Amino acid sequence: MMQENYHAAAVEAEARALWDKLSAARAREDAPGGKYYCLCMLPYPSGRLHMGHVRNYTIGDLITRYQRMKGRNVLQPMGWDAFGLPAENAAIKNGVPPAKWTYDNIAYMRMQLKSLGFAIDWEREVATCHPKYYKWNQWLFLRMLEKGIAYKRTGTVNWDPVDQTVLANEQVIDGRGWRTGAPVEKREIPMYYLKITDYAEELLAALDVLPGWPERVKTMQANWIGKSVGVEISFPHDDGVLKVFTTRADTLMGATYVAVAAEHPLAAKAAARDPKVASFIEECRQGGVTEAELATQEKKGVPTALTVKHPLSGAALPVWVANYVLMGYGEGAVMAVPAHDERDFEFARKYGLPLCAVVRAAEAPVQEPAAMTEAFVSHDGVLCNSGKYDGLGLQAGVDAIAADLEAKGLGQKRVQWRLRDWGVSRQRYWGCPIPIIHCPACGDVPVPDEDLPVVLPEDLAPDGSGNPLAKYQPFVECSCPKCGKPARRETDTMDTFVDSSWYFMRYACRDNDNAMVDQRADYWLPVDQYIGGIEHAILHLLYSRFWTRVMRDMGLLKFDEPFTRLLTQGMVLNHIFLRKTAGGGLTYYSPEEVELKHDADGRVVTAVLKADGQPVQYDGLGTMSKSKNNGVDPQMLVDKYGADTVRLFMMFAAPPELTLEWSESGVEGAQRFLKRLWKAVAEHTAAGPASALDKAAMNAAQQDLRRQLHETVAKVGDDIGRRYTFNTAVAAVMELLNALSRAPGSGALDRALKQEAYETVTLLLAPIVPHVAEALWKGLGRKGSVMQATWPKPDPAALKRDILELVVQVNGKLRGHIRVPAGAAREEIERAALAEASVQPFIQGKSVKKVVLVPGKLVNVVAA
RNA sequence: GCCCGGAUGGCGGAACUGGUAGACGCGCGGGACUCAAAAUCCCGUUCCCUUUAAAGGAGUGUGGGUUCGAUUCCCUCUCCGGGCACCA
């Protein structure tokens, strides 16, 4: 006997007790059904779940439960991306060691995930800060070192000259260190790199065979990898040649100068003789290292006394040092063709450098340099001012010029990648130690496998300056594995992207201390469905694809791509409210502290702080963050409404890929729906068991209702299984419930139909609101857990229609409707459409030119 | 600056392959129930004009294009969001 009203707390406790008893979320390799690996991006243990987590994991749980009901053997694991900067920041602020802070956060967040009812196999839980996990980071790093995939060279970092510390990009605010306010400098330090560029071609080409990935993610990755086919050109000078790479070799005869990066050897050579060049190079050392910062700074340069020889004409071209040339791309030098490149044009105009137009539109004359107001950038035209190349098309020009350069030994066609090798060294404490020992005699010596893992001491507390690991002698001091003499341990740790590049493999076999992966990984992987935020579209996903290939090439795996299907979810936003303080600062108020006043149409008129009744300024929408004080703690909502309501709202509010605006009134709507559903089922079951449904005895209204029921089954299955539009799946079930509650009649046949309908609704909602579905299933008299029930199939007989309603348009405008038999001939439909009373006035006195018929949908009469 | 997205009623969104714009929900208005309120239920709700109603016109960020027909395809611009290699 069901309770009359819905009580979330009791329902949810009972459902979870049942699942625990059945170990319903456990995943076994020997269970029946095809395997299905449903994976959500693992959270950083920041302290509490935020709405983005709830959204992410609700989507994953929905798919997990749906696939289980479809008969698949599903694995849904969970773990913790437990190394990283926030733990060190918290340590600096509170004096708590990062390890304790991290483990406490994990314990709390694990409890939160359990309270949301996610069907996670907790026996596979992984934390990346655990030595048994990161041992394998170190082990694979050493294998990469052996194969030359990992190597050492210098790299550029942000340097805080006051704290004597390397800063993360996030810690650089307007070119200054976040704690000291000191202007940040660039500094070159030795680091380990992984040769992801060796895999550039494959990582790019394989995007074409990832049909389960969103196009936009594949486009972003392709652009990031950035394959350019062009020509490497050598410009001879006194000490050798200056190499540049260009995709526009056709414009070579229009090159009027060359520009090199501040870090280029030629710049250093010029600086030795010219203090102005030296001071410019010094100026370029100021500021951060991000591409956004470099690309938005004002374009500046200085001339040098150096020249290079044009490889074809032999003319002397001046060498400039320019801040817009990046040392990290190509050769760190460019040939400048101001007439046909926007950046070069701007730079040449600024510094009075000459222009020479060498491309013209096919029908147009050569452009006069002085008359040009912008660069002529065209991929269609012919060469001019280029001697023997005049009149050639642009591609023909590239080919001819490349051939001549090659003959002279001054150039060749080649491919250039935008992708750079992955620098993995971090000068930070809370990360996986890089397993290297520096010996004065033997150099950099890998830690022997039998000494792995190199364990990170867990009780150090960083203070913001330098790396505490480097100051901790018990860690640093060691003996050389080769010669046994005193040596120094490497104190850099690995980028946390290393941890997250393969964690999904370890869920399959986290208890194996003898191997990184085993045959259980062969069973579960690759991941069938991966779900996570769009902000990871490039780095994390690209690194995982790379790491997987490295492991494959070592014989550890048999597949190429780690994630067969990918769903990228949008961010969760909320309102921002603030007041300006007397001192000119800003105080942000949580939306929970603010009351909105609406006018009669529902528009927001004013917002006042509940505490004092005084107005606050509304500052629009933004991603939930601590700094803007606009985060909503999901735990409060779970406590207030229950997990099912929060899950339902999350799925109903927007399609998963879209940005989601937070609104608590939407939560109330979701709760209302569950209450209504509960009450309807309780009333239905209160009248006792229903009889079997006699389909042949149904009247027209009952047939219509049953048709809608089975149309809903078809739609929800398609929305969840194929389209991933969970919002429309929920809407369809809401419509069905509306129709059910309007359906008259309480005879035996009506009750039998409603029994079928409520059982079906329960199954359709089970992946989204599993607790309440469990209670309804039991209330409807069904045995066992709804988790183990079978997903419903639409009855084709119920879907059949005899009469179709068609739309009639005149010149594309809706003018009426007609009803025709399902098999009606074209002529019959046209006749009915033209005869329709509401259509007649719009075709009177006109001649019908054409009638467009879309079968089963519409008739459009073209009349003039 | 570069790359990738997005923009539809008062609000979140729907319209799946170019075919009825606004499903579903929120909010709001009206009504029922109630001593009253909350909760619940019922009705209405894109805008404009005329209006008892019926009907008509306009309308999917901007401006253009293709088409019998465009929220959907193409081009232009504006604004917003994500990423830019050391936040995760």
Side-chain angles (χ1 to χ4, degrees):
Chain A
M1 185 68 191
M2 285 175 72
Q3 292 270 324
E4 194 186 341
N5 291 307
Y6 169 57
H7 296 291
V11 163
E12 293 181 4
E14 192 179 332
R16 280 203 285 278
L18 176 66
W19 301 333
D20 285 347
K21 197 179 102 196
L22 298 171
S23 294
R26 281 270 292 282
R28 295 165 201 271
E29 288 76 14
D30 58 1
K35 74 93 182 174
Y36 191 94
Y37 188 173
C38 183
L39 178 73
C40 292
M41 289 183 185
L42 82 178
Y44 178 80
S46 55
R48 301 171 80 83
L49 291 186
H50 56 66
M51 284 298 168
H53 291 131
V54 174
R55 191 180 196 192
N56 195 163
Y57 304 138
T58 301
I59 294 166
D61 199 47
L62 194 168
I63 294 171
T64 292
R65 289 171 180 271
Y66 168 77
Q67 291 294 343
R68 278 182 180 278
M69 292 174 78
K70 296 281 279 185
R72 312 294 288 276
N73 182 29
V74 183
L75 166 61
Q76 180 176 234
M78 186 53 67
W80 309 96
D81 190 14
F83 277 137
L85 205 51
E88 294 194 35
N89 294 341
I92 294 167
K93 205 173 158 193
N94 308 321
V96 184
K100 182 180 167 25
W101 183 85
T102 301
Y103 291 130
D104 288 351
N105 289 347
I106 287 174
Y108 184 79
M109 291 170 75
R110 186 193 297 117
M111 179 277 289
Q112 287 191 295
L113 290 174
K114 287 183 176 176
S115 78
L116 278 154
F118 298 135
I120 291 163
D121 184 355
W122 285 104
E123 293 185 19
R124 296 169 184 268
E125 182 180 355
V126 160
T128 58
C129 64
H130 200 280
K132 285 190 171 186
Y133 179 81
Y134 65 69
K135 170 185 176 177
W136 300 105
N137 283 359
Q138 297 172 343
W139 181 82
L140 199 78
F141 177 83
L142 294 175
R143 302 290 84 73
M144 290 195 205
L145 212 51
E146 288 162 3
K147 291 189 71 177
I149 297 167
Y151 65 99
K152 197 178 187 183
R153 67 165 165 86
T154 61
T156 314
V157 294
N158 302 303
W159 180 256
D160 185 319
V162 172
D163 262 351
Q164 297 281 298
T165 297
V166 176
L167 297 179
N169 288 333
E170 190 189 51
Q171 298 171 318
V172 179
I173 316 285
D174 297 329
R176 290 170 182 274
W178 67 329
R179 298 182 68 237
T180 64
V184 168
E185 298 168 6
K186 297 184 184 75
R187 177 172 277 218
E188 297 284 312
I189 60 167
M191 302 207 294
Y192 285 96
Y193 283 83
L194 305 183
K195 266 194 189 164
I196 192 172
T197 51
D198 275 3
Y199 289 85
E201 187 81 66
E202 193 192 337
L203 289 168
L204 178 66
L207 291 172
D208 292 338
V209 288
L210 275 177
W213 279 41
E215 277 312 314
R216 63 166 158 161
V217 174
K218 290 192 279 188
T219 307
M220 279 190 262
Q221 290 218 352
N223 290 341
W224 183 264
I225 294 167
K227 183 179 188 175
S228 299
V229 180
V231 181
E232 182 182 285
I233 303 177
S234 297
F235 290 75
H237 59 84
D238 295 347
D239 300 332
V241 294
L242 174 71
K243 284 187 178 178
V244 307
F245 174 82
T246 178
T247 57
R248 293 299 307 272
D250 50 321
T251 63
L252 176 58
M253 301 312 286
T256 54
Y257 66 101
V258 296
V260 301
E263 301 85 3
H264 195 276
L266 271 191
K269 185 181 164 192
R273 293 190 243 163
D274 185 343
K276 280 187 191 148
V277 175
S279 79
F280 181 73
I281 291 172
E282 182 57 30
E283 190 189 326
C284 289
R285 280 187 60 238
Q286 301 295 316
V289 299
T290 69
E291 195 192 307
E293 197 168 338
L294 297 173
T296 49
Q297 67 190 355
E298 190 193 349
K299 285 169 198 63
K300 285 186 189 170
V302 285
T304 70
L306 305 172
T307 61
V308 294
K309 253 172 83 176
H310 191 287
L312 296 179
S313 73
L317 301 181
V319 176
W320 282 64
V321 181
N323 65 357
Y324 72 86
V325 182
L326 303 179
M327 198 59 210
Y329 183 79
E331 304 289 339
V334 298
M335 69 173 203
V337 186
H340 304 295
D341 180 277
E342 282 169 31
R343 263 184 337 187
D344 294 345
F345 184 89
E346 192 188 323
F347 192 83
R349 277 286 142 91
K350 179 169 179 176
Y351 292 105
L353 290 157
L355 273 69
C356 174
V358 292
V359 179
R360 61 178 172 84
E363 305 301 322
V366 180
Q367 301 195 63
E368 281 306 317
M372 290 181 80
T373 54
E374 59 178 2
F376 177 61
V377 183
S378 171
H379 297 282
D380 189 25
V382 292
L383 293 179
C384 54
N385 274 341
S386 295
K388 64 186 264 204
Y389 308 109
D390 281 358
L392 288 177
L394 302 188
Q395 188 53 51
V398 170
D399 295 341
I401 287 172
D404 287 351
L405 288 169
E406 186 148 14
K408 295 179 98 173
L410 290 176
Q412 61 192 8
K413 280 195 180 176
R414 73 165 172 89
V415 168
Q416 173 66 44
W417 303 93
R418 206 188 78 94
L419 183 68
R420 307 199 296 262
D421 278 340
W422 174 14
V424 294
S425 295
R426 297 289 181 271
Q427 298 68 46
R428 275 186 241 302
Y429 160 51
W430 191 234
C432 167
I434 293 176
I436 295 287
I437 288 168
H438 303 290
C439 170
C442 309
D444 296 345
V445 182
V447 172
D449 285 359
E450 57 270 27
D451 293 343
L452 295 183
V454 175
V455 176
L456 186 74
E458 291 201 345
D459 46 6
L460 307 185
D463 61 8
S465 88
N467 177 356
L469 209 48
K471 303 172 196 165
Y472 186 63
Q473 292 313 312
F475 181 81
V476 176
E477 288 169 8
C478 60
S479 52
C480 172
K482 259 191 194 163
C483 68
K485 290 190 184 134
R488 198 174 54 80
R489 197 178 289 285
E490 170 66 57
T491 58
D492 278 2
T493 54
M494 294 185 198
D495 180 3
T496 56
F497 276 124
V498 170
D499 310 326
S500 57
S501 288
W502 70 282
Y503 72 100
F504 44 90
M505 301 174 191
R506 194 62 181 168
Y507 286 136
C509 53
R510 66 151 196 188
D511 55 358
N512 192 334
D513 291 335
N514 302 310
M516 188 172 185
V517 287
D518 61 25
Q519 70 284 352
R520 291 171 294 175
D522 292 338
Y523 173 76
W524 288 113
L525 289 149
V527 171
D528 294 274
Q529 179 65 58
Y530 197 26
I531 304 135
I534 184 65
E535 69 272 20
H536 295 293
I538 295 173
L539 291 178
H540 162 61
L541 291 168
L542 190 62
Y543 290 147
S544 296
R545 297 179 63 220
F546 160 66
W547 197 275
T548 298
R549 285 172 167 79
V550 171
M551 288 180 68
R552 175 202 63 192
D553 290 348
M554 289 176 183
L556 297 168
L557 306 172
K558 298 187 184 79
F559 55 91
D560 304 325
E561 287 292 342
F563 313 121
T564 306
R565 291 224 279 178
L566 175 67
L567 179 62
T568 48
Q569 126 227 357
M571 319 235 110
V572 183
L573 309 181
N574 199 4
H575 299 281
I576 301 167
F577 299 100
L578 59 85
R579 276 182 190 160
K580 297 209 165 80
T581 58
L586 299 174
T587 307
Y588 288 94
Y589 294 94
S590 163
E592 284 157 26
E593 305 173 77
V594 173
E595 197 176 330
L596 291 174
K597 296 258 163 83
H598 304 266
D599 65 11
D601 293 328
R603 267 182 280 252
V604 176
V605 192
T606 53
V608 297
L609 195 66
K610 286 175 189 168
D612 59 15
Q614 296 301 306
V616 290
Q617 189 180 328
Y618 179 57
D619 198 36
L621 286 159
T623 53
M624 287 190 179
S625 74
K626 277 191 178 155
S627 61
K628 296 270 170 82
N629 195 15
N630 66 337
V632 175
D633 187 353
Q635 199 57 49
M636 288 176 55
L637 293 166
V638 173
D639 294 345
K640 185 172 170 188
Y641 297 103
D644 283 333
T645 294
V646 175
R647 294 169 59 124
L648 180 66
F649 167 69
M650 271 293 176
M651 294 302 94
F652 179 60
E657 311 228 56
L658 239 71
T659 307
L660 170 61
E661 249 181 70
W662 185 252
S663 155
E664 183 137 358
S665 58
V667 186
E668 276 164 12
Q671 169 108 115
R672 213 171 290 163
F673 170 73
L674 291 182
K675 283 181 179 168
R676 239 157 44 82
L677 173 64
W678 182 280
K679 218 165 175 179
V681 173
E683 274 168 22
H684 167 74
T685 57
S691 54
L693 178 64
D694 180 0
K695 291 171 201 163
M698 288 190 296
N699 62 30
Q702 289 162 335
Q703 281 176 22
D704 283 347
L705 184 61
R706 190 158 186 273
R707 183 186 309 113
Q708 187 178 354
L709 170 63
H710 285 270
E711 280 173 351
T712 305
V713 170
K715 171 155 181 64
V716 172
D718 189 49
D719 283 353
I720 294 182
R722 179 183 64 90
R723 295 215 301 152
Y724 289 180
T725 52
F726 313 122
N727 55 327
T728 54
V730 172
V733 177
M734 285 177 171
E735 279 185 81
L736 178 61
L737 186 67
N738 289 343
L740 277 170
S741 58
R742 269 194 283 271
S746 52
L749 198 51
D750 295 306
R751 295 206 358 95
L753 182 52
K754 285 194 173 176
Q755 179 74 21
E756 182 192 10
Y758 287 127
E759 285 187 13
T760 305
V761 164
T762 300
L763 292 170
L764 295 179
L765 290 176
I768 304 171
V769 288
H771 311 86
V772 73
E774 206 66 78
L776 296 177
W777 194 239
K778 192 176 159 196
L780 285 160
R782 301 296 302 250
K783 300 272 180 294
S785 168
V786 75
M787 259 185 96
Q788 291 158 348
T790 303
W791 185 256
K793 284 197 185 80
D795 176 0
L799 297 174
K800 242 184 90 203
R801 279 175 193 273
D802 300 327
I803 301 282
L804 300 178
E805 182 163 286
L806 302 188
V807 161
V808 184
Q809 298 179 332
V810 178
N811 294 331
K813 280 195 195 303
L814 175 68
R815 298 301 180 188
H817 296 85
I818 53 171
R819 289 167 67 84
V820 295
R826 187 189 169 100
E827 293 73 21
E828 194 184 334
I829 296 170
E830 277 189 28
R831 230 179 359 255
L834 294 170
E836 170 64 26
S838 58
V839 172
Q840 273 292 318
F842 296 94
I843 51 178
Q844 290 276 293
K846 292 178 180 174
S847 68
V848 174
K849 303 268 186 229
K850 181 163 131 181
V851 177
V852 180
L853 179 74
V854 181
K857 283 210 165 143
L858 123 170
V859 183
N860 186 19
V861 180
V862 185

